[in-house]
Amino acid sequence: MKRDSRLSSVLHALLHMAERGEPMTSETLAACMCTNPVVVRRTMGLLRDAGLVASARGPSGGWQIVADLNAVSLRDLYDALGEPTVFAIGNRHEAPQCLVEQAVNAALDDAFADAEALLLDRLGKITLARLSADFNRRHAAHRSRA
Amino acid sequence: MKRDSRLSSVLHALLHMAERGEPMTSETLAACMCTNPVVVRRTMGLLRDAGLVASARGPSGGWQIVADLNAVSLRDLYDALGEPTVFAIGNRHEAPQCLVEQAVNAALDDAFADAEALLLDRLGKITLARLSADFNRRHAAHRSRA
DNA sequence: TTTCATGTAACTTCAAATATTACGAATTAG
DNA sequence: CTAATTCGTAATATTTGAAGTTACATGAAA
Ligand code: FES
Ligand code: FES
């Protein structure tokens, strides 16, 4: 399958929106992210449903962040996106009859569940504010080099 | 994308082979695993290249385990399969120009790398022998219930 | 009332895993 | 030697789910 890149996408969009301040249209965001406005609306719509951003129609409409950057973690975004499947590796049958397969799946599920828990925990500790600060550091470094 | 279920598959096959003792044909294994003989040959071929199983052609041919079950971990199987992609979630662009995207990707890559390390570490600690023992425990419990 | 922008359904495209078909090569039994 | 068996592998098709597109309705602002 194609990999799900929505988390990376919305983060990119959110940081651009945070830098900006005023609403950005899905067309602008799409151009910025090399994708399609409808994809942006679909994806950002999920964040709106979670109360993280707001959308407005008509002229001077667009998308804007409404949440506190310090209060939103990457885990919150992951949840807002519907908790997408984390692993590209899985069991052939989810509830097999075969005892051999049950033993195999139990062992694998265990390891994968732990790895997923760690991942989500890590995502929960990174806020948008921290990412924004990280960007500004990079930006400053970039300008001082030029 | 479809999820990669080869690790689960080969484990299932290997435990069946361990129970058996004599060679099993790819046709038998395929029937057992609800799949196609060619798929079995392709996948088991990778394990053979890693020295974990042996194949023989002609009548009385088939597949057999040649490694010590105590010496083979699930990590070894993962490696033999070519270290398939672990995550179904990824970055949109791997080496973006945009500094915003770089900051985003750096944070994500970090978290994902840690989760992957934990997963592989866990897989490295589970041997085929242990899985086989686990199966026999389940089997005994199953029989005593009947 | 015109223009801009979102909301959303329906459909197409794309990538990657898995499945299938076909046939060649090696091995064993008789 | 010959026939039957089984792997090895290339070529192709199918399947699945994400991403992209098209089309049009809805609502807001000037
Ligand atoms: S895409 Fe991030 S800078 Fe334009
Ligand atoms: S598939 Fe036949 S028992 Fe595992």
Side-chain angles (χ1 to χ4, degrees):
Chain A
M1 123 198 52
K2 223 178 240 179
R3 299 175 82 190
D4 182 337
S5 61
R6 288 178 301 164
L7 183 55
S8 164
S9 292
V10 297
L11 277 170
H12 189 182
L14 288 172
L15 290 205
H16 274 296
M17 289 159 72
E19 293 295 314
R20 182 75 73 100
E22 54 190 13
M24 295 177 75
T25 69
S26 50
E27 187 150 12
T28 306
L29 289 170
C32 191
M33 298 159 62
C34 301
T35 183
N36 188 290
V38 177
V39 172
V40 172
R41 291 204 283 270
R42 247 194 328 242
T43 312
M44 296 299 283
L46 296 172
L47 303 195
R48 180 195 50 221
D49 295 345
L52 304 176
V53 302
S55 61
R57 305 200 229 201
S60 82
W63 300 86
Q64 218 168 359
I65 300 181
V66 296
D68 174 2
L69 295 191
N70 277 296
V72 181
S73 71
L74 304 202
R75 170 65 190 271
D76 296 325
L77 293 174
Y78 170 81
D79 290 342
L81 291 174
E83 309 182 1
T85 305
V86 169
F87 295 108
I89 296 178
N91 297 329
R92 169 169 299 266
H93 304 111
E94 273 321 314
Q97 298 299 310
C98 171
L99 288 176
V100 169
E101 195 161 8
Q102 282 178 24
V104 166
N105 287 359
L108 288 177
D109 288 349
D110 228 47
F112 279 96
D114 284 357
E116 178 165 335
L118 172 67
L119 176 69
L120 296 185
D121 195 60
R122 289 289 302 271
L123 293 185
K125 286 178 177 150
I126 306 173
T127 62
L128 285 182
R130 201 175 114 195
L131 272 189
S132 184
D134 189 24
F135 158 68
N136 282 310
R137 247 194 314 281
R138 285 168 189 264
H139 193 50
H142 184 258
R143 291 183 65 172
S144 70
R145 263 210 322 279
Chain B
M1 148 194 32
K2 222 178 238 178
R3 299 174 81 189
D4 183 336
S5 61
R6 289 177 301 165
L7 184 55
S8 165
S9 293
V10 297
L11 278 170
H12 189 182
L14 287 171
L15 290 205
H16 274 298
M17 290 159 73
E19 292 297 313
R20 182 74 73 98
E22 52 190 12
M24 297 178 75
T25 68
S26 48
E27 188 151 11
T28 307
L29 289 170
C32 190
M33 298 159 63
C34 302
T35 182
N36 189 288
V38 178
V39 173
V40 172
R41 292 205 282 273
R42 251 197 320 246
T43 312
M44 296 297 284
L46 296 172
L47 302 194
R48 181 195 50 223
D49 295 346
L52 304 176
V53 302
S55 62
R57 304 201 229 201
S60 83
W63 299 87
Q64 220 168 358
I65 299 181
V66 295
D68 174 3
L69 295 192
N70 277 296
V72 180
S73 70
L74 304 202
R75 171 65 190 271
D76 294 326
L77 294 174
Y78 170 82
D79 290 343
L81 291 174
E83 309 183 357
T85 304
V86 169
F87 295 108
I89 296 178
N91 297 329
R92 170 169 296 267
H93 304 113
E94 274 321 314
Q97 298 299 310
C98 172
L99 289 176
V100 169
E101 195 160 11
Q102 282 179 23
V104 166
N105 288 0
L108 288 177
D109 287 349
D110 228 46
F112 279 95
D114 284 357
E116 178 165 337
L118 172 68
L119 176 69
L120 297 185
D121 195 60
R122 289 290 301 271
L123 294 184
K125 285 179 178 150
I126 306 173
T127 63
L128 286 183
R130 200 174 114 194
L131 272 189
S132 183
D134 189 25
F135 158 67
N136 283 310
R137 246 195 314 283
R138 284 166 189 265
H139 193 50
H142 185 258
R143 292 183 65 172
S144 71
R145 266 210 317 280

